[in-house]
């Protein structure tokens, strides 16, 4: 069933992706120009895919003709452990145009050596764990299950706090990429959903600079960054044909990946004691790391 998690190299890997994760680790050969977009589910992966794809391809076609609009972010950026499920499919990826862009939920430690040791770049997006949890819970209750009940909010929350959720524990997932970004800032860019939301244009610039594709003065003057921001906004993406009618990873409707798109929505669902439980966990697990979160858009 969909709730089954396997402990794989210290992380709780969902049954649906355990095989893909192992194949990825063993058979994926990174190219020097590869861009790997990493996250825990419900942290803003879909948004990061759209932004990265648009930045990379901005000079290949006008934005209105972007394949992002017709294929959606999941159509243009495959997931390494979901969409590519056999060894042969990994070999076929060689034919993709450069730079290849992939998504993954793999923890940093489980990435293939070729990703870590090559010049391939990694962008990680994370999100306040409270919002990530609610987004995850809302997402999972909307997916029909055979012969199985969905967890109640309280039960799912208890498990989440024990690290028992897809690719959890979240603190280890976050810390793996966080530390890598501190050690190798040219290799790993660490972004927060809340920052992208609040400082959209500066974040898009930062992402483009990191990818080695900075905006020219001319592009900036033309308002291209603002245009990318608009094209990838929640409101725009929600209304793409590809979002309304297409499918995302695992055959899940693409629309399920755009729910509310806000900071602090979890505060509408969690009790104050639940909130402080997660905040204590963050304190305990992330202390001294320099990593912190704001929990609502009011901050
Ligand atoms: P909510 O459930 O809080 O709305 P992922 O892509 O990692 O699965 O994360 C999904 C979450 O990111 C959902 O959060 C979704 O609405 C939000 N999201 C997707 N696209 C977005 C966008 N363009 N801007 C802001 N949030 C977005």
């Amino acid at each position: 069933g969909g709730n089954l998690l396997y402990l794989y190299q210290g992380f709780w890997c969902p049954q649906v992706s355990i095989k893909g994760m192992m194949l990825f680790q063993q058979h994926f050969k990174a190219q020097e120009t590869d861009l790997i977009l990493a996250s825990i589910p419900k942290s803003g992966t879909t948004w990061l895919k759209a932004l990265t794809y648009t930045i990379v391809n901005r000079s290949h076609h006008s934005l209105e003709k972007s394949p992002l609009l017709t294929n959606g972010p999941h159509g243009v950026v495959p997931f390494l452990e979901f969409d590519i499920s056999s060894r042969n499919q990994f070999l076929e990826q060689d034919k993709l145009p450069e730079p290849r862009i992939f998504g993954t939920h793999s923890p940093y430690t489980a990435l293939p050596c070729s990703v870590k040791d090559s010049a391939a770049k990694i962008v990680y997006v994370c999100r306040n764990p409270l919002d990530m949890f609610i987004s995850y819970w809302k997402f999972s209750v909307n997916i029909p299950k055979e012969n199985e009940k969905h967890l109640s909010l309280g039960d799912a929350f208890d498990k989440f706090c024990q690290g028992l959720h897809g690719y959890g524990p979240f603190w280890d997932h976050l810390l793996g990429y966080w530390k890598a970004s501190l050690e190798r800032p040219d290799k790993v860019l660490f972004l927060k959903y809340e920052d992208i939301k609040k400082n959209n244009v500066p974040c898009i610039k930062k992402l483009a600079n990191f990818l080695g594709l900075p905006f020219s003065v001319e592009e900036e003057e033309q308002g291209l960054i603002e245009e990318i921001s608009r094209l990838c906004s929640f409101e725009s993406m929600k209304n793409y044909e590809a979002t309304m009618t297409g499918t995302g990873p695992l055959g899940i409707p693409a629309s399920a990946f755009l729910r509310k798109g806000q900071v602090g929505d979890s505060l509408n669902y969690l009790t104050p004691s639940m909130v402080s439980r997660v905040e204590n966990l963050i304190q305990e697990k992330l202390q001294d790391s320099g990593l912190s979160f704001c929990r609502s858009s009011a901050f």
Side-chain angles (χ1 to χ4, degrees):
N3 276 339
L4 266 186
L5 299 172
Y6 292 88
L7 189 61
Y8 179 67
Q9 300 183 350
F11 287 86
W12 291 105
C13 184
Q15 187 180 36
V16 286
S17 64
I18 187 92
K19 185 178 164 218
M21 224 163 104
M22 291 161 89
L23 282 167
F24 169 42
Q25 213 177 19
Q26 289 158 16
H27 300 296
F28 182 74
K29 291 282 168 285
Q31 295 175 4
E32 299 290 301
T33 52
D34 281 352
L35 308 176
I36 310 292
L37 311 180
S39 62
I40 307 183
K42 312 335 277 173
S43 300
T45 326
T46 307
W47 196 9
L48 179 63
K49 283 178 169 185
L51 289 170
T52 306
Y53 180 85
T54 309
I55 290 170
V56 165
N57 292 288
R58 68 185 190 263
S59 53
H60 296 170
H61 37 65
S62 68
L63 294 183
E64 309 82 72
K65 289 193 186 137
S66 172
L68 179 72
L69 297 171
T70 41
N71 299 328
H74 301 293
V76 292
V77 180
F79 263 112
L80 283 161
E81 64 271 21
F82 295 128
D83 299 325
I84 308 166
S85 52
S86 75
R87 209 190 145 167
N88 284 344
Q89 279 178 293
F90 274 107
L91 301 175
E92 276 173 31
Q93 301 301 315
D94 287 348
K95 295 174 205 143
L96 289 176
E98 284 183 31
R100 307 185 301 174
I101 314 172
F102 297 108
T104 183
H105 293 317
S106 270
Y108 185 76
T109 46
L111 291 176
C113 298
S114 73
V115 169
K116 288 191 255 193
D117 300 340
S118 66
K121 289 193 185 263
I122 301 169
V123 183
Y124 186 74
V125 64
C126 73
R127 190 178 189 186
N128 181 326
L130 294 161
D131 285 348
M132 189 226 304
F133 166 72
I134 284 298
S135 181
Y136 175 69
W137 187 70
K138 285 270 167 191
F139 179 81
S140 54
V141 294
N142 279 325
I143 294 167
K145 282 190 180 173
E146 290 165 34
N147 315 319
E148 207 184 334
K149 280 210 174 114
H150 292 291
L151 289 177
S152 69
L153 178 67
D155 287 347
F157 182 77
D158 267 337
K159 293 200 166 179
F160 183 73
C161 290
Q162 294 168 49
L164 280 162
H165 59 98
Y167 312 92
F170 64 82
W171 51 89
D172 286 334
H173 205 282
L174 292 167
L175 282 174
Y177 283 95
W178 174 248
K179 287 179 184 159
S181 76
L182 296 179
E183 282 162 19
R184 303 168 74 189
D186 300 334
K187 170 82 180 174
V188 184
L189 178 67
F190 194 94
L191 296 174
K192 290 180 189 167
Y193 182 97
E194 294 77 17
D195 280 348
I196 312 176
K197 194 88 192 169
K198 199 169 171 185
N199 302 310
N200 208 244
V201 166
C203 282
I204 294 173
K205 262 170 109 162
K206 187 166 154 186
L207 178 56
N209 290 342
F210 172 79
L211 298 173
L213 301 164
F215 293 98
S216 66
V217 174
E218 205 178 31
E219 284 179 322
E220 287 208 30
E221 282 172 1
Q222 285 168 353
L224 188 68
I225 309 179
E226 286 79 6
E227 218 176 310
I228 292 177
S229 165
R230 263 194 309 278
L231 187 77
C232 299
S233 72
F234 180 84
E235 291 70 28
S236 310
M237 285 177 60
K238 182 107 192 135
N239 294 311
Y240 287 170
E241 180 74 27
T243 302
M244 295 191 287
T245 59
T247 48
L250 306 168
I252 296 165
S255 57
F257 291 84
L258 288 114
R259 186 186 64 95
K260 211 163 176 185
Q262 287 175 6
V263 176
D265 185 47
S266 56
L267 301 179
N268 298 322
Y269 296 91
L270 301 174
T271 64
S273 79
M274 286 165 131
V275 170
S276 61
R277 186 168 163 196
V278 172
E279 289 187 335
N280 290 339
L281 254 178
I282 293 174
Q283 262 281 311
E284 176 199 335
K285 303 289 184 184
L286 304 184
Q287 63 173 342
D288 305 329
S289 70
L291 187 53
S292 61
F293 294 97
C294 56
R295 64 172 175 166
S296 87
S297 50
F299 281 77

